[in-house]
Amino acid sequence: MSNARQRDLEVNRAAHTHLTQLQRDWVWFAPKCRQGLWRAANQVGKSEAQGYDLALYARNLHPRQRHFGPLNIMLVSHSFEQMDPMLGKLWSYLPRNEVDPKLRYSKGYGIRGAKQPVIKLVDGPGAGTIIVLATYKQGAERIMGGQYHRIGIDEPCPIAVYGLSLIHI
């Protein structure tokens, strides 16, 4: 692969992604209703599609959801370890020049470089957007602390977390 193509992929992977039909359906379906649930077998691309969808939404490049100003987004999972594959997909779709330069993703360890587990967009069309990362154990308390434009739930969650997520969107 040429150096120019490699740099282009690093800056904007989303522009070069080819989704499966199931993944495209998720990206186009998600905006149509307040809640979306995708139940399917392992290894069909759920995390890839959710990472792609969430990155486009955070960057204000989603084909069906546009917004004005910075967003508060939350991504919740059973544990940070369980969230890692999904987080890796999301991170891969965020151009490094738009993410806070202090932050980095480390496979198996998640987001590093911030006191709180968050991803901050500092440049580009989603500048000012914050993606808060939380676990189900801390999720109820974390969710109660704010209003969110979107909450992504990775893996089945306790009813308390689900109920609070509906209230705080």
Side-chain angles (χ1 to χ4, degrees), residues 26 29-30 33-40 46 153 155-157 162:
W26 173 256
F29 166 76
C33 55
R34 191 166 174 221
Q35 302 123 9
L37 174 65
W38 183 1
R39 293 181 64 184
K46 297 182 303 287
I153 299 175
E155 303 296 329
C157 69
Y162 181 73

Side-chain angles (χ1 to χ4, degrees), residues 23-103:
Q23 293 168 331
R24 282 193 305 273
D25 290 347
W26 173 256
V27 171
W28 283 90
F29 166 76
K32 291 183 179 180
C33 55
R34 191 166 174 221
Q35 302 123 9
L37 174 65
W38 183 1
R39 293 181 64 184
N42 290 333
Q43 303 298 317
V44 297
K46 297 182 303 287
S47 294
E48 187 78 33
Q50 189 173 355
Y52 178 78
D53 184 64
L54 194 59
L56 289 180
Y57 183 73
R59 297 179 61 223
N60 194 25
L61 297 175
H62 198 283
R64 302 209 23 162
Q65 294 181 355
R66 296 299 177 138
H67 52 80
F68 297 98
L71 300 173
N72 288 322
I73 299 170
M74 179 175 273
L75 180 60
V76 191
S77 188
H78 177 71
S79 65
F80 289 117
E81 292 81 16
Q82 186 110 12
M83 183 190 301
D84 192 62
M86 165 63 202
L87 194 52
K89 306 284 196 284
L90 170 62
W91 185 259
S92 73
Y93 285 114
L94 296 172
R96 296 306 149 263
N97 61 325
E98 294 182 15
V99 177
D100 185 338
K102 292 179 261 174
L103 300 177

Side-chain angles (χ1 to χ4, degrees), residues 108-127:
Y109 298 98
I111 299 298
R112 298 292 188 214
K115 202 172 204 176
Q116 296 292 323
V118 299
I119 300 172
K120 297 177 187 173
L121 301 183
V122 295
D123 199 8

Side-chain angles (χ1 to χ4, degrees), residues 72 74 132 138-148 164 168:
N72 288 322
M74 179 175 273
V132 177
Q138 67 178 178
E141 290 79 25
R142 290 274 306 245
I143 292 172
M144 285 190 285
Q147 287 293 116
Y148 299 95
L164 281 171
H168 288 272

